[in-house]
């Protein structure tokens, strides 16, 4: 009987000792969705997202013949909507080149305040940008069904909205440099990539030459009060590949 009990105990201990590695293997061997997706030379997709834009306005201290000094600002970020296509070219196991042409729809509320009299004006600048982002993407090693990445790139932008004779007018072209990060999530039928990107405009987007306001100095004084205006954006995008 004692021998029988010893054999039973040894068998149970052997079973328990083998059960833990089996559970660990089961925990680590999670099914990988789209296991060969990253081996393709190139692939297509699209994205939808939202962005917030801001103008950085540089004043020059201009004082009008009437003694007015105007301070101009964008009080807060303005939300917008964007849609893009996607062409992704695999360079190697970690790097890829991404082109994502699209359109950005949005507007900016500009506030103008006279320093001495506290007089105020406001203007809403609507914009429709055609953009051509070109990004270099560096992705970490895949862990199960996720793969984080960082990216940097450039983005030419062209405003195709109709211009009006308002207080301020923006140029039709701008050029951004961008940095961002995101994560590829491998779902059963496609990849979902949420991404945050920070874009910094390099160009002076303020139109200084305003022949349409030659006969209206009360509007032209706002342009005269500024040295330059540069743009920046924060973009939240969801890519589907």
């Amino acid at each position: 009987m004692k021998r029988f009990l010893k054999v039973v105990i040894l068998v149970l201990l052997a079973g328990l000792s083998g059960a833990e590695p089996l559970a660990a293997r089961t925990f680590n061997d999670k099914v990988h969705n789209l296991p060969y997706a990253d081996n393709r030379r190139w692939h297509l997709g699209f994205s939808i997202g939202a962005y917030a834009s801001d103008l950085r306005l540089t004043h020059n201290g201009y004082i009008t013949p009437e003694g007015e000094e105007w301070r101009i600002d964008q009080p807060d970020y303005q939300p917008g909507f964007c849609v893009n296509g996607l062409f992704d070219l695999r360079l190697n196991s970690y790097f890829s080149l991404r082109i994502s042409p699209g359109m950005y729809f949005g507007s900016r509320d500009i506030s103008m305040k006279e320093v001495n009299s506290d007089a105020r004006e406001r203007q809403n600048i609507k914009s429709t940008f055609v953009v051509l982002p070109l990004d270099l993407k560096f992705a970490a090693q895949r862990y199960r069904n996720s793969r984080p990445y960082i990216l940097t790139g450039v983005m030419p932008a062209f405003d195709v909205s109709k211009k009006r004779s308002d207080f301020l007018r923006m140029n039709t072209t701008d050029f951004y440099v961008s940095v961002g990060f995101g994560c590829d999530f491998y779902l059963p039928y496609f990849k979902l990539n949420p991404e945050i990107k920070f874009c910094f405009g390099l160009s002076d987007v303020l139109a200084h030459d305003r022949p349409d306001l030659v006969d209206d100095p009360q509007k032209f004084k706002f342009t005269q009060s500024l040295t330059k205006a540069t743009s920046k954006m924060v973009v939240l995008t969801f890519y589907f590949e």
Side-chain angles (χ1 to χ4, degrees):
M1 179 63 69
K2 290 182 179 181
R3 285 186 178 181
F4 178 76
L5 290 176
K6 287 181 180 181
V7 171
V8 171
I9 293 173
L10 290 174
V11 171
L12 290 175
L13 290 175
L16 291 174
S17 63
E20 185 173 354
L22 178 60
R25 288 195 300 271
T26 302
F27 178 77
N28 290 321
D29 292 344
K30 185 177 180 180
V31 175
H32 283 199
N33 297 321
L34 306 176
Y36 305 109
D38 294 332
N39 295 332
R40 296 171 58 183
R41 179 62 176 169
W42 58 271
H43 56 269
L44 304 175
F46 70 94
S47 71
I48 58 174
Y51 75 98
S53 63
D54 186 29
L55 277 176
R56 182 178 180 181
L57 303 168
T58 304
H59 295 81
N60 55 23
Y62 172 76
I63 298 177
T64 68
E66 295 79 17
E68 297 177 347
E69 182 180 357
W70 287 86
R71 308 297 294 179
I72 306 169
D73 190 22
Q74 181 178 328
D76 50 27
Y77 281 88
Q78 301 295 316
F81 173 73
C82 58
V83 292
N84 295 75
L86 175 67
F87 176 84
D88 189 285
L89 177 65
R90 180 179 183 269
L91 301 179
N92 56 38
S93 298
Y94 297 98
F95 287 94
S96 62
L97 191 64
R98 194 175 70 178
I99 303 174
S100 51
M103 299 190 71
Y104 284 40
F105 306 91
S107 64
R108 300 182 177 103
D109 283 326
I110 306 299
S111 175
M112 310 167 192
K113 178 182 177 183
E114 206 283 312
V115 175
N116 301 310
S117 66
D118 202 32
R120 296 175 184 269
E121 296 284 355
R122 295 187 67 87
Q123 177 184 345
N124 181 265
I125 302 176
K126 297 184 181 299
S127 57
T128 302
F129 290 104
V130 176
V131 299
L132 186 61
L134 176 64
D135 297 312
L136 181 64
K137 175 180 173 181
F138 172 74
Q141 287 187 346
R142 175 173 175 172
Y143 176 72
R144 294 186 176 176
N145 287 319
S146 63
R147 191 179 189 188
Y149 65 85
I150 59 175
L151 57 86
T152 183
V154 296
M155 184 177 73
F158 308 93
D159 189 355
V160 296
S161 60
K162 185 177 180 181
K163 303 298 181 181
R164 299 179 300 176
S165 297
D166 289 320
F167 301 122
L168 300 178
R169 178 182 291 180
M170 300 296 112
N171 292 324
T172 57
T173 60
D174 199 359
F175 190 84
Y176 295 86
V177 294
S178 58
V179 293
F181 60 91
C183 189
D184 296 337
F185 291 103
Y186 299 80
L187 303 181
Y189 300 105
F190 62 90
K191 284 201 303 181
L192 173 63
N193 312 341
E195 175 184 295
I196 295 179
K197 184 189 292 186
F198 303 90
C199 305
F200 305 93
L202 302 181
S203 306
D204 179 8
V205 295
L206 179 66
H208 295 275
D209 186 14
R210 297 293 303 277
D212 56 313
L213 297 183
V214 170
D215 299 328
D216 195 350
Q218 292 303 311
K219 286 188 176 182
F220 190 46
K221 63 187 177 184
F222 301 108
T223 300
Q224 293 175 296
S225 300
L226 296 172
T227 302
K228 66 177 181 178
T230 55
S231 180
K232 55 185 177 181
M233 294 190 294
V234 180
V235 188
L236 172 63
T237 311
F238 296 91
Y239 286 92
F240 299 85
E241 301 181 24

